[in-house]
Amino acid sequence: MTPPDYSIEIRRAGQHPYMPGAARFSTWVLIVLWWLCGAVFVLQAIEPTGRTILAALIILCLGMGALWAAGVYLARGNPFHQEVILRFVVRAICGRTDLET
């Protein structure tokens, strides 16, 4: 007969802090910036009629969904995808795209 197991399970202990289906904080910052820029554009650049405001809200919602979905999709393969993309851009600007440098 085996002795009873009195251990306590700590959920998600030792796992990576970025769970599948979650977006990183910087993705949410991009979404907030998207909404702020969209609100400034709606208030300053277009005529405030019901039709244009509704169209702007639809575009803002679609953009927010696209940003969130892209953040979740990219974080699924590599939770540090933004650092990888930034490193790629900096290396491309500096001309260091080969594996030798």
Side-chain angles (χ1 to χ4, degrees):
M1 182 172 180
T2 60
D5 184 18
Y6 294 112
S7 63
I8 299 172
E9 178 186 357
I10 301 173
R11 300 186 72 209
R12 295 189 179 113
Q15 293 183 354
H16 202 277
Y18 304 109
M19 296 295 146
R24 292 196 57 187
F25 177 73
S26 54
T27 302
W28 291 109
V29 169
L30 284 176
I31 289 172
V32 168
L33 289 175
W34 171 258
W35 275 96
L36 289 175
C37 291
V40 168
F41 177 78
V42 167
L43 293 174
Q44 300 294 326
I46 65 172
E47 182 182 343
T49 64
R51 187 176 194 176
T52 57
I53 291 175
L54 182 62
L57 285 175
I58 290 171
I59 291 170
L60 286 172
C61 289
L62 289 174
M64 179 187 70
L67 286 172
W68 180 81
V72 170
Y73 177 75
L74 289 172
R76 183 176 300 158
N78 180 2
F80 300 104
H81 66 277
Q82 289 144 338
E83 290 83 356
V84 173
I85 293 171
L86 179 64
R87 185 181 68 218
F88 171 76
V89 168
V90 169
R91 289 174 65 90
I93 290 172
C94 295
R96 297 173 43 199
T97 55
D98 59 344
L99 296 176
E100 301 290 324
T101 58

